[in-house]
Amino acid sequence: MTILSGKARLAGVLGWPASHSRSPRLHGYWLRQHDIDGTYIPLEVSPEDFPTAVRALLRMGFKGANVTIPHKEAAFAACDEVAPSAVRAGAVNTLVFREGRVLGSNTDGFGFLESVREQAPGWRADAGPAILLGAGGAARAIAAALLDAGCPRLTIVNRSIGRAETLAREIGGAVEVASKPDLAQAALLVNSTSLGMVGQPPLEIDLTPLPPHAVVADAVYVPLETPLLAAARRRGLRAVDGLGMLLHQARPGFEAWFGISPEVDAALREFVAGDLPRAA
């Protein structure tokens, strides 16, 4: 049992609800691993109470917090200062409280890139065109990260063309919009929708046109092996699950709050995924 001192560092995750978040399990693992005098707790805060709650945590001595659904856009407005990553993503998922100020950043794009690099060694964003399925919050962070890392061309595919066009216009750069993915030249295919998640319809897509060197990534991690990833592996393609993005996006916040740069390894992955379904 962890016993905290009066100097314990405090952080948590703000959500509505917060009970679904795996962040307490993830950060709790690192806290125990490094024997840190600190804790990370789920904080259920309604949308109408969110701005007040952020300032209350700051005054209570918290070091910061993660932000999850539905607060990421509200968190942007609650910050005194936002990092370029948050401006590009249009949302904040990590708050750091420092010298009476609320600093916001978005680590989702960082987490995505690090996850692909880990699970598909040798992959580079500038290796070729990428196709991004979806135009929601996760898509925006992933799109910005890919373009900033050198992706030569990004195609956004979404059921609502208007929403995809808005995202493309706001992100800027080498971005185009399509109603159907043209996979023949793609070096990377990313699913940022909820399709394939437990309780959701599967993602219906034929991966046959993808080149043999292509990487297929899924932001979904419940189940760990989505039908999309299973189809990619059957074709001999490199597949990247969504759990890695979750694990890696947590690293910058943990370092800012608790003063140690944590590692993502097999033991952490197994612990966080301990009760997740392995396949659909």
Side-chain angles (χ1 to χ4, degrees):
M1 181 179 66
T2 301
I3 299 177
L4 302 176
S5 79
K7 297 180 180 179
R9 291 172 171 257
L10 308 177
V13 55
L14 293 156
W16 184 252
S19 57
H20 72 284
S21 175
R22 305 198 73 76
S23 292
R25 186 176 179 90
L26 165 55
H27 288 277
Y29 178 94
W30 281 331
L31 287 167
R32 288 191 298 273
Q33 181 184 44
H34 296 286
D35 194 24
I36 292 173
D37 182 16
T39 192
Y40 182 103
I41 57 178
L43 301 162
E44 292 211 341
V45 176
S46 66
E48 57 268 28
D49 290 334
F50 181 80
T52 302
V54 169
R55 292 293 159 176
L57 293 176
L58 171 66
R59 294 178 181 179
M60 289 166 60
F62 273 64
K63 298 300 181 182
N66 282 128
V67 180
T68 188
I69 296 172
H71 299 316
K72 290 187 178 184
E73 293 184 1
F76 192 101
C79 291
D80 298 306
E81 180 181 333
V82 292
S85 62
V87 175
R88 288 282 275 157
V92 163
N93 77 334
T94 303
L95 301 173
V96 175
F97 303 149
R98 185 176 299 153
E99 297 177 353
R101 290 169 56 80
V102 179
L103 313 180
S105 64
N106 189 298
T107 63
D108 284 336
F110 166 83
F112 174 78
L113 293 180
E114 289 295 292
S115 177
V116 180
R117 289 167 180 150
E118 176 196 9
Q119 297 183 60
W123 173 83
R124 292 172 55 95
D126 59 4
I131 294 176
L132 177 61
L133 307 179
R140 182 170 180 137
I142 291 170
L146 285 170
L147 292 168
D148 291 348
C151 177
R153 187 174 76 252
L154 177 66
T155 301
I156 300 173
V157 180
N158 193 57
R159 283 184 301 179
S160 168
I161 293 295
R163 187 169 185 178
E165 289 174 340
T166 298
L167 174 57
R169 183 172 59 253
E170 292 177 351
I171 289 293
V175 186
E176 58 189 34
V177 172
S179 58
K180 293 184 179 179
D182 180 7
L183 303 181
Q185 304 299 319
L188 174 69
L189 172 67
V190 184
N191 174 39
S192 73
T193 75
S194 62
L195 294 175
M197 184 184 297
V198 169
Q200 297 293 323
L203 174 63
E204 302 288 351
I205 186 170
D206 180 11
L207 301 182
T208 303
L210 279 174
H213 64 272
V215 174
V216 177
D218 205 329
V220 171
Y221 60 86
V222 183
L224 281 175
E225 183 82 344
T226 63
L228 173 66
L229 298 183
R233 294 189 204 279
R234 286 195 298 270
R235 277 216 55 219
L237 302 172
R238 290 180 291 173
V240 177
D241 65 45
L243 181 60
M245 179 175 171
L246 173 72
L247 301 180
H248 284 284
Q249 64 80 31
R251 288 165 45 201
F254 188 91
E255 182 174 8
W257 306 322
F258 300 112
I260 288 179
S261 179
E263 292 185 3
V264 172
D265 56 21
L268 172 70
R269 170 177 281 270
E270 186 60 31
F271 178 78
V272 176
D275 59 351
L276 290 178
R278 300 294 166 145

